[in-house]
Amino acid sequence: MRREIRGSTTILEILRMYPDGRAATLMSRLYWPCAHCGGAVREPLTLAAQRHARDPRAVLIAFRALQHGGPTDEEIALAAVRHSR
């Protein structure tokens, strides 16, 4: 059973939760290099969202949707929006 994805869940933990590549694909759709760069894999999800100028709540919703067959295109679009810092 997968544990709940929280803001403190690290990039590495999320990638391990989804060895089928769904989490890496989502990161790619959000234009995050985290799945491939290796430099920030131990970074918590919400910190990664902030570092990439994304809304942490929208990012969290998108990653949590992986547990239920999502996310939807709308959830991805909301999580991909860049906000000024």
Side-chain angles (χ1 to χ4, degrees):
M1 178 188 283
R2 290 193 170 103
R3 65 186 191 105
E4 180 183 0
I5 294 175
R6 312 184 99 173
S8 60
T9 303
T10 67
I11 299 297
L12 182 60
E13 289 171 326
I14 290 170
L15 292 172
R16 286 183 176 163
M17 288 174 156
Y18 296 97
D20 61 359
R22 288 186 292 155
T25 298
L26 177 55
M27 288 179 203
S28 174
R29 291 185 71 188
L30 297 177
Y31 308 104
W32 285 14
C34 299
H36 309 287
C37 74
V41 293
R42 300 206 188 282
E43 186 171 63
L45 184 59
T46 52
L47 186 59
Q50 291 174 339
R51 188 169 53 82
H52 290 289
R54 305 305 200 280
D55 175 18
R57 179 174 290 282
V59 168
L60 193 55
I61 288 169
F63 278 95
R64 283 181 177 166
L66 289 171
Q67 297 172 312
H68 307 290
T72 65
D73 289 338
E74 182 180 349
E75 289 169 328
I76 292 170
L78 289 172
V81 171
R82 287 183 155 263
H83 298 278
S84 60
R85 294 180 188 212

